[in-house]
Amino acid sequence: MQQSVPTKVCRLLPCSIPLLTYPGGTLLIAFATTSMQLRTVRALIDWGQPKVEKAPPQALPLNPTIRSKHLAGTSWVPDGPNDPMNVSRSDSSMVQLSHLELLPPTADNNGSPVPATIVAIRSSLPSLTSHYNQDVHSTIDRWEIQEPSPRAHPSFEQLSSRRNSTGVAPPPVAYMKKLESITVNKIAVAMETMNTGRVIVVAYSDSSVEYRDRRNMLETFNDNNLDRVWHLSQIGFSYTEDEPCLQVALSPSYCSVVQLRNDGKVKWKQLDYHLGDIGKSMDEPLYSAVITALSLSCATSVMRNVNYDDILATASKHVNPQFSYDWLTELSRILKVNLDYSEETHHDVLVRNTSIQLCLSIQQSLGFKGQFKQRTFSSKFAWIVLQLRNIVVLVSMAANLHISSGPNATEKSSPLEDPEVIRSLAGSVNWVLNLMAWIIDTLTNLPATLPPNVDLSSTANLSLPDLLAYLHSTNTIALHLILSSASRGFLTAILRRLAHLDYIARKAISHTSTPNPQNTPSALSPALKAAYVEIASLTASPILDIKTIETLLSSLSSSIKNAYALHNPALSGSPQAEKARNALEIKMHFGSSFPDAFKSVIVELFREDGGLLSAVKADIKPADLFFADFEILEVDEEGVMLERRKEKGMTMDCFRKAWLPNPVKGQVENGTSAAGGTAGTGTDGNASAVVSRQGARWRRCARCAAVMEDVLTQRQALQWLVMQQRRCFCSGFWDMLSPGELVA
């Protein structure tokens, strides 16, 4: 590939040069010049690495050079002279090129290939000195880059004197095919593509947005066809057209825009439906189309690893319990989410299933109405499970990770040897133990609070719809937590990890050294021993013993397996049965009713004589459970409790599970808390524990409003553990708050 330089060297226009990456490592570049030339160049980066055997690539020197080859050229000025390379007769002052894009090859809706296309936008503004009433307009020009391979006539093959000789095919010859231009009586300020380049989105200065088909540039998304939907803009969702703007940028999900207004202010706008109600059930075409479009947009964003918070914002305007359930069910179907872990004995697959975190995050977001406001049933369930999952991940990382330490890189240390890590995990241990006690307390009190039409004593009289209606009306999620296989799996997983942590803590505080360096350090410092004492004090005297809860969950899992196997038709033993069982688990996980097969399980759970809960009651002191304070869980969302929590002036740190005193404006970052005390560190095992560190700033989740103190530490183990909290436990992004601020 030889370098080709135009005979007439021209200055490039002050706009970005579009390029495409092609197979083989070459780049296709398009650029425009001030002499009104439009050129395409094929470029190749030669890194100049010497060929040395058995040498690591990072040790080889680099001497990169760029080789380029001119492909084709023309003029980007319409109605120019016949010679596109000679544009001296054109008046350049009348032409203003504002956008230049190089669109990659794609296929249209019929599967026909569409070659790489150059799109240029020229805007015309009337001159202030002009005496004519000229209209503003934008012209969209397009060129397809064609690279056909020339073919010689078969007769030329007969001219060869050698029978077995074969000709060499000539190389492709590139040229630019001019397509029909489009003129719009507006000023285009932005252009992007969507749907893998099939649709061109053009935003104008009057705040309007148009969607055009790339093949013919005709306006699309205006037929309101509800039978074939993939984006909200197709079915009547649009942006509010209000004030003019200078620049527009679309979100990665194409469901919101950011505008730079004429006054220099930035405004975010989201898609909204301005034509009335969308409906209330999947039987209505518009409602079904909205659910489908939201699911496809969200699934696409997830697969592209881009943010989908603007999709949640659009959906929240139409949210109700049925809407949330329908959207989550459709999204789980598209992503093929597996929520059935009723036959899993190991929980590694469950913890690694990021699709569960995705569904739970959306589930809790749709029912979150703001801080100090009651969540919906489905949202409350997801919010608890998300925190439970995060604690499982943190404890697992701390127990299994080995970090290089010391001058010798081969030396490994465990985070469980760092007292700051143990002290940070103490709050999570306290939170889990309180959660277990709260679940048992709720379940043991449930039969006495049920209305007369709900009978838990026999399968024949048990009405699952009536039971579900009562649970929803009282926001009682405890029964769903232990019957849903995914949440029950997280509960079992954390109990096993707490039992292991309790074992290590007891070994640590009973020996100054240990023969097992994989679990505990060989020599314990006083700080580390004190940290393990905190853990041991929590696990030694809980309201409910860990083994008792493990036994309950294990017995419950066995009963559920038998119930699935005995159901008619059987819900185990075949791929069809597993698929049907997963559908039932999805339904239950998203807050809907229990399977009919669970009637016998529920009756066995609440049976007064020899039931599963009766065995747990025998190991509990009723007074301990009655007077227990579960404020650390923040699950009591009655109006009085929410007001009391608001007036308390404390916020829960979602990482260390400890209360933080709310900062006040003007607070000096010198370690003095808003309550007037000095910052300290510690967890005393009750809900009133307060932990605040000197000068720590707050992070607040932009999605669920959770708070975490920003941990700045040089301790490698704790730093690595904090790195797992780069995003909130709900997978939302953090906002770093200014000192003294509660919101971003």
Side-chain angles (χ1 to χ4, degrees):
M1 184 179 294
Q2 301 296 326
Q3 184 174 6
S4 177
V5 180
T7 56
K8 183 178 180 180
V9 180
C10 304
R11 181 170 59 89
L12 297 181
L13 285 177
C15 60
S16 61
I17 300 179
L19 53 87
L20 295 176
T21 303
Y22 269 68
T26 61
L27 301 174
L28 182 61
I29 305 173
F31 61 91
T33 66
T34 53
S35 63
M36 301 184 183
Q37 297 181 19
L38 180 63
R39 290 182 174 272
T40 56
V41 172
R42 181 88 68 188
L44 174 66
I45 300 178
D46 185 1
W47 297 104
Q49 279 190 326
K51 296 182 179 179
V52 180
E53 296 183 359
K54 298 181 179 180
Q58 61 271 18
L60 298 177
L62 293 179
N63 186 23
T65 57
I66 298 179
R67 292 183 292 168
S68 62
K69 178 182 179 182
H70 173 71
L71 295 182
T74 184
S75 172
W76 53 265
V77 181
D79 304 325
N82 294 329
D83 182 8
M85 294 291 102
N86 181 11
V87 294
S88 59
R89 290 178 292 173
S90 298
D91 187 0
S92 60
S93 63
M94 299 298 295
V95 182
Q96 299 177 13
L97 184 65
S98 61
H99 292 80
L100 185 65
E101 296 286 344
L102 181 54
L103 307 183
T106 185
D108 59 16
N109 295 328
N110 298 323
S112 302
V114 179
T117 306
I118 300 175
V119 180
I121 299 182
R122 297 178 289 109
S123 300
S124 176
L125 291 170
S127 174
L128 296 177
T129 60
S130 176
H131 299 286
Y132 300 97
N133 186 17
Q134 299 176 342
D135 294 330
V136 299
H137 65 272
S138 297
T139 303
I140 304 176
D141 300 310
R142 297 172 297 144
W143 294 266
E144 286 185 353
I145 302 177
Q146 304 279 359
E147 295 184 85
S149 298
R151 291 185 178 181
H153 194 276
S155 300
F156 285 96
E157 296 290 338
Q158 303 175 5
L159 298 178
S160 175
S161 59
R162 300 172 60 185
R163 294 183 179 181
N164 297 329
S165 63
T166 56
V168 178
V173 178
Y175 70 95
M176 299 167 65
K177 178 182 177 181
K178 181 70 171 65
L179 303 179
E180 183 181 359
S181 299
I182 304 296
T183 300
V184 183
N185 294 327
K186 301 177 183 180
I187 297 298
V189 295
M191 186 193 76
E192 295 190 31
T193 60
M194 60 190 301
N195 192 15
T196 63
R198 298 175 184 174
V199 176
I200 296 178
V201 186
V202 185
Y204 299 98
S205 61
D206 62 350
S207 76
S208 62
V209 177
E210 284 184 353
Y211 303 87
R212 293 183 175 271
D213 185 88
R214 172 175 167 177
R215 173 67 84 176
N216 51 32
M217 289 302 290
L218 296 178
E219 282 196 66
T220 185
F221 292 176
N222 52 11
D223 55 357
N224 202 28
N225 182 11
L226 301 180
D227 296 329
R228 188 179 180 86
V229 175
W230 61 272
H231 195 262
L232 292 171
S233 301
Q234 298 174 269
I235 51 179
F237 281 74
S238 61
Y239 302 107
T240 303
E241 299 181 16
D242 41 23
E243 300 179 15
C245 58
L246 299 174
Q247 188 56 271
V248 176
L250 267 74
S251 71
S253 65
Y254 310 111
C255 289
S256 65
V257 297
V258 173
Q259 296 178 335
L260 178 63
R261 298 299 183 91
N262 292 343
D263 56 4
K265 296 181 179 180
V266 176
K267 183 177 182 179
W268 174 69
K269 297 168 69 173
Q270 61 192 98
L271 284 172
D272 198 7
Y273 193 72
H274 304 282
L275 304 178
D277 188 26
I278 64 171
K280 296 181 179 180
S281 70
M282 293 294 287
D283 296 331
E284 301 179 59
L286 179 58
Y287 180 93
S288 177
V290 171
I291 293 295
T292 302
L294 285 172
S295 302
L296 290 174
S297 296
C298 188
T300 303
S301 299
V302 170
M303 298 305 296
R304 294 172 55 197
N305 197 26
V306 301
N307 191 289
Y308 54 88
D309 285 78
D310 54 345
I311 302 178
L312 295 176
T314 298
S316 64
K317 295 186 176 182
H318 310 279
V319 71
N320 57 58
Q322 185 62 41
F323 183 92
S324 303
Y325 174 78
D326 291 335
W327 183 20
L328 288 166
T329 302
E330 181 67 15
L331 181 62
S332 64
R333 185 186 65 83
I334 294 176
L335 296 177
K336 298 181 180 179
V337 178
N338 178 34
L339 286 173
D340 174 36
Y341 291 89
S342 57
E343 296 186 355
E344 291 285 342
T345 57
H346 299 284
H347 305 98
D348 291 342
V349 178
L350 172 63
V351 176
R352 297 176 186 272
N353 190 343
T354 56
S355 298
I356 292 182
Q357 185 186 28
L358 164 69
C359 293
L360 288 171
S361 182
I362 296 176
Q363 190 174 347
Q364 73 88 21
S365 297
L366 294 179
F368 177 61
K369 303 174 184 178
Q371 196 175 18
F372 302 116
K373 293 185 179 179
Q374 188 178 30
R375 295 175 180 268
T376 62
F377 177 90
S378 179
S379 175
K380 185 177 179 180
F381 172 87
W383 180 63
I384 290 294
V385 178
L386 279 170
Q387 296 181 82
L388 187 62
R389 178 187 182 275
N390 188 58
I391 294 176
V392 172
V393 172
L394 287 177
V395 177
S396 300
M397 291 291 184
N400 299 321
L401 179 69
H402 289 85
I403 303 174
S404 301
S405 61
N408 188 356
T410 60
E411 295 180 5
K412 300 289 185 179
S413 63
S414 170
L416 296 183
E417 300 176 12
D418 191 320
E420 287 296 325
V421 172
I422 302 302
R423 201 170 285 119
S424 297
L425 293 178
S428 297
V429 173
N430 184 35
W431 188 90
V432 171
L433 295 176
N434 275 270
L435 176 64
M436 300 300 175
W438 174 80
I439 291 175
I440 298 303
D441 181 49
T442 304
L443 294 177
T444 53
N445 292 327
L446 181 62
T449 60
L450 288 174
N453 61 330
V454 180
D455 185 5
L456 301 179
S457 61
S458 66
T459 57
N461 298 329
L462 176 58
S463 173
L464 293 180
D466 291 339
L467 175 61
L468 180 68
Y470 174 79
L471 297 179
H472 277 210
S473 64
T474 57
N475 256 14
T476 304
I477 64 171
L479 192 56
H480 278 74
L481 284 174
I482 64 171
L483 292 184
S484 175
S485 63
S487 56
R488 188 175 65 255
F490 285 124
L491 289 171
T492 304
I494 192 57
L495 287 175
R496 293 178 181 177
R497 284 156 177 80
L498 290 191
H500 179 65
L501 197 59
D502 174 66
Y503 169 77
I504 298 176
R506 293 179 183 277
K507 292 279 290 183
I509 63 179
S510 61
H511 298 86
T512 56
S513 62
T514 175
N516 188 3
Q518 294 183 352
N519 291 332
T520 56
S522 56
L524 272 72
S525 64
L528 181 58
K529 191 168 185 178
Y532 273 117
V533 167
E534 290 188 34
I535 298 290
S537 63
L538 291 171
T539 56
S541 57
I543 300 176
L544 195 62
D545 190 70
I546 294 177
K547 292 183 179 179
T548 302
I549 297 295
E550 276 193 291
T551 302
L552 171 65
L553 296 179
S554 177
S555 301
L556 192 61
S557 297
S558 299
S559 298
I560 290 176
K561 288 181 184 179
N562 293 333
Y564 277 139
L566 296 176
H567 187 266
N568 189 15
L571 294 172
S572 61
S574 66
Q576 294 79 10
E578 293 177 0
K579 185 177 180 180
R581 192 173 65 233
N582 185 54
L584 294 174
E585 290 284 348
I586 287 176
K587 192 175 183 181
M588 182 169 40
H589 192 83
F590 294 150
S592 189
S593 61
F594 305 108
D596 290 337
F598 278 23
K599 283 188 176 182
S600 59
V601 177
I602 296 174
V603 170
E604 175 64 20
L605 178 66
F606 291 100
R607 188 161 52 87
E608 295 183 1
D609 184 16
L612 298 180
L613 277 177
S614 62
V616 178
K617 292 179 184 179
D619 294 339
I620 303 176
K621 294 181 180 180
D624 292 345
L625 200 59
F626 181 81
F627 291 106
D629 184 5
F630 301 118
E631 188 179 13
I632 189 175
L633 302 176
E634 300 181 282
V635 289
D636 193 345
E637 296 182 326
E638 295 182 358
V640 177
M641 293 300 298
L642 290 175
E643 287 297 327
R644 186 182 304 173
R645 194 183 308 154
K646 185 176 182 180
E647 294 173 358
K648 185 179 179 180
M650 309 287 283
T651 303
M652 177 61 62
D653 187 319
C654 66
F655 172 58
R656 290 183 297 156
K657 295 299 180 186
W659 291 107
L660 302 173
N662 291 345
V664 294
K665 290 188 177 181
Q667 177 184 6
V668 181
E669 295 186 15
N670 60 358
T672 302
S673 68
T678 57
T681 304
T683 302
D684 60 6
N686 56 55
S688 62
V690 178
V691 178
S692 181
R693 287 168 296 178
Q694 295 184 356
R697 299 177 63 184
W698 279 18
R699 305 179 188 178
R700 187 178 286 277
C701 178
R703 185 177 300 173
C704 72
V707 165
M708 171 187 170
E709 271 192 338
D710 192 30
V711 180
L712 301 177
T713 178
Q714 298 300 323
R715 307 181 74 92
Q716 192 174 9
L718 181 60
Q719 187 180 38
W720 197 94
L721 201 63
V722 173
M723 284 177 59
Q724 311 310 310
Q725 305 296 307
R726 288 187 297 265
R727 295 171 69 172
C728 179
F729 62 83
C730 75
S731 77
F733 289 91
W734 296 111
D735 278 331
M736 186 65 72
L737 305 186
S738 302
E741 297 292 339
L742 288 172
V743 294

